[in-house]
Amino acid sequence: MTSRYRLFLSFLFTTILFAAACSKSSAPGDSATAGKSGGRATIVFMTDFGTANDAVAICRAVMIGIAPDSRIMDITHQVTPFRIEEGARFLEAVSPYYPAGTVFVTVVDPGVGTSRKAIIVKTKKAQYFVLPDNGLVTPVIERDGLDSAREITNPSWMIQAAISSTFHGRDIFSPAAAHLAAGWDFSMVGPVVPQLVRLTLKTSTTTDKGVDGNIIALDDPFGSLVTDIPGEEFKKLGYNLGDKLRIELNKKPVTVPYVKTFMDVPVGDVLLFIDSRGRVSIAVNQGNYSRKFGVEPPGTISISRKGSPIKDK
């Protein structure tokens, strides 16, 4: 009886060791396993599809079909159609708030069906970006650094049906993102991409006379003007809260007070402030600056140093 008991214990111990070894060897080598909450992988989704049709719902269904336990979060599906720079700006703004391992799938893809590559980018923050190789990820990798990038060429990572020439959001990007979220090995998606397409991003310029920048967006639905002038650069110009500035918008002079927040001016008045992302913005308190004054991006903004005259025409 004792010998049988010992034999059983020996067999049990061997079985446990074998199971542990198999579990270790079968774990994904480089998968999106870190960005999970309670065991659920997070996919963050953004497109320019809008919400008037079924495109977003179809993509979400594809992802859930592959990774049913994943959690899908939306940035927006109202990116201005074909506006790659706008999508890149949103992606840069949102991604720092998610942990390593998060899978971002972004479809702003005017080149769909052409020779442009469908790719997965891994940053040095260990986040994954599934998107077309058209510059969408440029500001993210400039901030976080590039770990590696691969082209999506493995058919197993795509929808298991004919690939449309116009709906890669459904057929390539959504299934690839879902496979990452399900723990598939990133290195198996396709070959390394040695050189990514980069956007040439507009940036403000500070001189001894002041700062020249660009109106890059509207903060909709409020119609506030978003600029590319960092708040820290503006503060170098010497202005204090409460000062009135003479600035130029699209080379037209405008007088505007520099304040902290909207209610620091009467309802209906204009203001210049540093927005929540640290950039100079122009707004109307409880109004729509863009609509009221007919100003839309793209455009220019110039701010002289305190005490300097506005530039001559």
Side-chain angles (χ1 to χ4, degrees):
M1 186 70 177
T2 302
S3 62
R4 288 184 178 180
Y5 181 72
R6 288 177 178 173
L7 182 62
F8 171 76
L9 288 179
S10 177
F11 173 78
L12 182 62
F13 181 71
T14 302
T15 302
I16 291 171
L17 287 178
F18 178 77
C22 288
S23 175
K24 185 175 181 180
S25 65
S26 62
D30 186 12
S31 59
T33 56
K36 293 186 177 182
S37 175
R40 301 174 65 193
T42 300
I43 300 172
V44 182
F45 190 25
M46 180 174 72
T47 73
D48 62 353
F49 295 165
T51 56
N53 59 42
D54 57 0
V56 171
I58 289 172
C59 291
R60 292 172 67 91
V62 168
M63 289 186 269
I64 290 296
I66 295 168
D69 295 329
S70 63
R71 177 177 58 175
I72 303 176
M73 311 290 287
D74 295 297
I75 299 176
T76 180
H77 299 289
Q78 303 291 350
V79 176
T80 303
F82 322 120
R83 192 74 63 82
I84 296 169
E85 294 84 357
E86 183 176 299
R89 178 168 56 85
F90 291 157
L91 200 57
E92 177 191 24
V94 170
S95 54
Y97 296 96
Y98 284 92
T102 301
V103 179
F104 296 85
V105 54
T106 303
V107 190
V108 181
D109 193 16
V112 62
T114 67
S115 60
R116 72 94 184 91
K117 295 180 176 67
I119 60 172
I120 299 176
V121 171
K122 181 183 179 184
T123 66
K124 289 185 177 178
K125 190 180 174 181
Q127 294 178 330
Y128 296 84
F129 296 83
V130 185
L131 32 65
D133 184 21
N134 59 12
L136 271 168
V137 77
T138 298
V140 171
I141 59 178
E142 287 185 354
R143 181 192 62 212
D144 296 340
L146 174 65
D147 177 273
S148 56
R150 291 182 175 272
E151 185 177 4
I152 306 169
T153 59
N154 187 338
S156 297
W157 286 67
M158 304 177 192
I159 200 165
Q160 297 305 296
I163 304 297
S164 165
S165 61
T166 58
F167 198 1
H168 287 184
R170 175 194 64 192
D171 297 347
I172 298 177
F173 298 118
S174 292
H179 286 309
L180 270 179
W184 283 32
D185 186 344
F186 168 58
S187 67
M188 301 302 291
V189 70
V192 170
V193 179
Q195 184 69 43
L196 296 176
V197 173
R198 296 290 188 105
L199 291 177
T200 302
L201 300 172
K202 292 181 177 179
T203 57
S204 64
T205 303
T206 304
T207 67
D208 57 352
K209 295 181 180 180
V211 60
D212 294 318
N214 303 280
I215 302 166
I216 59 173
L218 299 179
D219 185 12
D220 280 334
F222 306 106
S224 304
L225 307 184
V226 179
T227 80
D228 62 358
I229 300 176
E232 293 304 314
E233 291 300 305
F234 170 76
K235 291 175 182 178
K236 293 177 183 178
L237 303 182
Y239 294 101
N240 299 309
L241 288 170
D243 286 346
K244 286 192 174 182
L245 290 68
R246 287 268 292 173
I247 68 175
E248 287 188 344
L249 295 177
N250 293 330
K251 300 186 178 180
K252 295 179 180 179
V254 175
T255 300
V256 59
Y258 167 42
V259 296
K260 185 176 181 180
T261 190
F262 308 104
M263 288 302 291
D264 289 339
V265 301
V267 172
D269 280 11
V270 300
L271 62 141
L272 180 150
F273 67 105
I274 308 303
D275 69 15
S276 61
R277 295 172 178 82
R279 298 172 300 215
V280 169
S281 290
I282 312 292
V284 171
N285 183 18
Q286 296 187 34
N288 187 303
Y289 191 99
S290 175
R291 189 180 303 133
K292 184 173 183 177
F293 296 102
V295 180
E296 294 186 353
T300 61
I301 176 172
S302 297
I303 308 175
S304 299
R305 289 187 182 275
K306 187 173 182 177
S308 299
I310 199 164
K311 296 186 301 182
D312 293 333
K313 302 293 186 293

